[in-house]
Amino acid sequence: MSGTGEHRERLLLGLRSFAGAYAELTRSFAAWLGLHATDARALVEILTAEDGGVPLSPARLAERIGLSSGATASLVNRLETAGYVVRSREHADRRVVTLRAHETIAPAARDYFTPLAHRLDAMLAGHRDEDLTRTGDLLDELGTTMAAVLADAAARPPRTRD
């Protein structure tokens, strides 16, 4: 495989395959918790953001999962009622709401996703650190490229039908 186009197609095929499998894992997590798949996806986003040290606001969650602010408010209400999410006001501006996972859900989520972590660790152990660093760099560049494409797409006027 020598052409850039061939590499692009292989990369996109692999990413689509991974995204599909990850979506299926999230649906499985939802079933395990007895939640709708969108609610579980939101919960995963909240947990991931919190683990990364940058908890989400409801507005940022809406952006991440592609829902309107009203639909996201209903979703957060459901998660809060179910005992999975807590809203807090941690900022100087008390109007800003931060979403945090309830202390009981993080251990359950870790328990559910631990097999994935173990399998990923085993898979990664078979690769050299330099290769993994380069792959991480490639994925970072891919994220930056996709953000630029999305910004360009948002600036395009809507297509009109003839």
Side-chain angles (χ1 to χ4, degrees), residues 117-140:
H118 288 309
R119 286 186 183 223
L120 286 174
D121 289 349
M123 184 264 309
L124 294 171
H127 296 275
R128 297 183 335 203
D129 285 344
E130 305 83 49
D131 293 337
L132 295 174
T133 298
R134 287 183 22 221
T135 301
D137 293 345
L138 177 68
L139 291 171
D140 289 345

Side-chain angles (χ1 to χ4, degrees), residues 21-37 40 112-113:
Y22 189 79
E24 185 58 35
L25 184 65
T26 301
R27 283 190 291 274
S28 174
F29 180 59
W32 186 67
L33 291 175
L35 293 175
H36 184 276
Y112 187 84
F113 287 103

Side-chain angles (χ1 to χ4, degrees), residues 64-155:
R64 299 290 303 257
I65 61 176
L67 292 179
S68 68
S69 59
T72 301
S74 294
L75 181 150
V76 171
N77 287 341
R78 286 192 304 273
L79 290 175
E80 189 173 43
T81 299
Y84 293 128
V85 171
V86 176
R87 295 176 222 231
S88 62
R89 299 190 187 277
E90 304 169 9
H91 300 280
D93 181 347
R94 302 301 289 165
R95 294 172 296 176
V96 176
V97 173
T98 300
L99 300 173
R100 296 225 177 244
H102 190 277
E103 63 187 24
T104 60
I105 192 58
R110 271 191 286 283
D111 180 53
Y112 187 84
F113 287 103
T114 291
L116 171 63
H118 288 309
R119 286 186 183 223
L120 286 174
D121 289 349
M123 184 264 309
L124 294 171
H127 296 275
R128 297 183 335 203
D129 285 344
E130 305 83 49
D131 293 337
L132 295 174
T133 298
R134 287 183 22 221
T135 301
D137 293 345
L138 177 68
L139 291 171
D140 289 345
E141 287 181 55
L142 181 61
T144 300
T145 300
M146 289 299 290
V149 168
L150 287 169
D152 291 348

